[in-house]
Amino acid sequence: MDFAPTQEQAAARDLAARIFGDLATHERLRAAGTGSDGELWKTLCEAGLPGAVQDIGLLGLVLLLEEQGRTTAQVPFAASCVYGLLALSAHGSAGQRERLLPGLADGSVVVTGVLPAAAVREGARGELTGVVPAVPWLRDATHVLVADEARRLWLVRTVDAGCEPVELTAPWSAGRLTLTATPAERLGDGGGSGTGGGATEAYDDVLATARTAFAGLQAGVCAGAVARAVAHTNTREQFGRPLATKQEVQLRAADAHLDTEAIRVTAYEAAWRRDEGLAYATHALTAAWWASEAGQRVVHAGQHLHGGTGADLEHPVHRHFLWGRQLDAYLGCGSELLQELGESIVWGSVRAEEDA
């Protein structure tokens, strides 16, 4: 395994770090409220970063999302790259790729997703019916990738569906998706076959990709929370000494750092394996579990180490807390992920024995 970024990945990461650092400031985030920063999204697209994901792979995307997470920048970068660009590149038909990939690269097309599978049913003529209470970045999206009850993937235009704004824990420009005999297009249909196999294989791949990418985003959120806590405890004094000189503060920060590194390395491994064409579903589950379980520990520690300041809803560290808890919920309950991981390992062993 070699997680060292390529020259192209490192250049994209450094460019993303500069853009997020310059534009995702405390003042701009406060002005954006619970919506997205349109100017920041335009700048990212003009710099070619969404389109670059086709070349730098999932590991490259994880590196970019770490930089987004450090600043809690409010743009639909993860959703559109995972549910749009990577999903279409791997599983879309030739016609779908030709029609949508250029727009995904320049930002004029934004895709969000409904995964894991939701209570959405296919009708007799290929239309969809069902309600999804909360879809992140729905207010920004032109299309939604929907997984129905049978784990088939569909593309739905938001103009054809009912989309009502809702608020989540984090400011993710979310909405309630209502499908009432809504026209939909099967991923991989319409002018050629995709490259990622059948419906189940496509669903499994997109779900594992999403888990890996959002784990990378959580690694950045946690790294940002730890960095803020370190800066605060090094400058805040108590009885004439910085808080960082206290052993209990050092130990809490060290635990948070190690948790963050565990999230990062498991996300890197899962992403690297996908890029290398290796099996990675269990690795994606492992990354998601670390991001869920350890992520909430880190953002709690980051807020706690700020003392009373951490209780200020306007303080920048509170955004990391909100994002960390939202990602914990979005990736799934830690115990449920652990159960799914255990079942995956057991059934994998059973299949291996049967094949032998």
Side-chain angles (χ1 to χ4, degrees):
M1 293 181 291
D2 182 7
F3 302 153
T6 64
Q7 185 176 355
E8 292 78 10
Q9 290 170 339
R13 177 198 60 198
D14 294 344
L15 177 59
R18 288 198 298 272
I19 293 174
F20 286 127
D22 289 343
L23 295 183
T25 63
H26 176 58
E27 292 73 23
R28 288 176 62 90
L29 290 169
R30 184 165 53 188
T34 61
S36 295
D37 187 333
E39 182 181 342
L40 174 55
W41 180 240
K42 180 180 178 181
T43 301
L44 291 167
C45 295
E46 289 176 346
L49 288 176
V53 173
Q54 293 183 84
D55 299 318
I56 63 178
L58 182 55
L59 180 56
L61 176 59
V62 166
L63 293 172
L64 301 183
L65 293 178
E66 275 193 85
E67 301 306 324
Q68 179 186 359
R70 291 180 201 276
T71 59
T72 61
Q74 292 170 203
V75 287
F77 196 69
S80 199
C81 286
V82 168
Y83 301 121
L85 195 142
L86 290 178
L88 279 162
S89 296
H91 307 289
S93 68
Q96 289 168 341
R97 294 195 296 269
E98 181 180 359
R99 188 172 75 249
L100 296 173
L101 285 180
L104 284 161
D106 66 26
S108 59
V109 174
V110 175
V111 180
T112 189
V114 177
L115 271 83
V120 173
R121 303 178 305 280
E122 178 189 2
R125 293 176 294 178
E127 72 281 0
L128 298 181
T129 297
V131 177
V132 184
V135 181
W137 311 112
L138 183 63
R139 283 180 261 166
D140 298 330
T142 58
H143 296 73
V144 187
L145 185 67
V146 178
D148 67 15
E149 292 177 325
R151 305 204 307 175
R152 294 174 296 233
L153 297 177
W154 302 81
L155 282 168
V156 176
R157 298 191 309 164
T158 52
V159 294
D160 297 328
C163 303
E164 306 170 51
V166 298
E167 300 302 336
L168 302 180
T169 300
W172 282 8
S173 195
R176 174 187 174 92
L177 179 69
T178 303
L179 304 172
T180 308
T182 302
E185 178 183 4
R186 276 283 298 276
L187 187 68
D189 286 351
S193 60
T195 60
T200 300
E201 290 82 0
Y203 173 87
D204 290 342
D205 177 56
V206 175
L207 179 58
T209 300
R211 283 170 165 164
T212 303
F214 281 95
L217 183 60
Q218 181 76 300
V221 170
C222 291
V226 171
R228 291 189 182 279
V230 169
H232 175 78
T233 55
N234 272 294
T235 55
R236 180 79 171 186
E237 292 189 354
Q238 189 178 66
F239 305 117
R241 298 175 60 194
L243 288 173
T245 62
K246 296 181 178 293
Q247 187 179 50
E248 59 269 29
V249 171
Q250 295 172 4
L251 291 174
R252 189 80 188 274
D255 285 343
H257 171 73
L258 290 175
D259 273 337
T260 301
E261 288 302 299
I263 299 169
R264 176 182 289 116
V265 73
T266 52
Y268 283 7
E269 182 180 14
W272 176 82
R273 291 183 66 88
R274 183 187 190 273
D275 291 343
E276 293 295 314
L278 303 172
Y280 76 109
T282 56
H283 301 80
L285 268 169
T286 302
W289 179 81
W290 273 105
S292 176
E293 285 286 297
Q296 53 134 336
R297 289 199 298 266
V298 173
V299 295
H300 274 269
Q303 195 167 32
H304 188 203
L305 287 171
H306 278 75
T309 306
D312 182 359
L313 301 185
E314 296 298 317
H315 194 279
V317 77
H318 190 65
R319 291 196 186 90
H320 293 270
F321 176 78
L322 294 178
W323 276 65
R325 292 313 307 259
Q326 185 65 61
L327 281 162
D328 169 28
Y330 188 65
L331 287 163
C333 171
S335 59
E336 293 177 351
L337 290 169
L338 197 60
Q339 179 180 349
E340 185 179 346
L341 177 59
E343 291 172 350
S344 175
I345 294 171
V346 168
W347 283 112
S349 300
V350 170
R351 286 192 294 269
E353 291 177 2
E354 290 175 347
D355 293 340

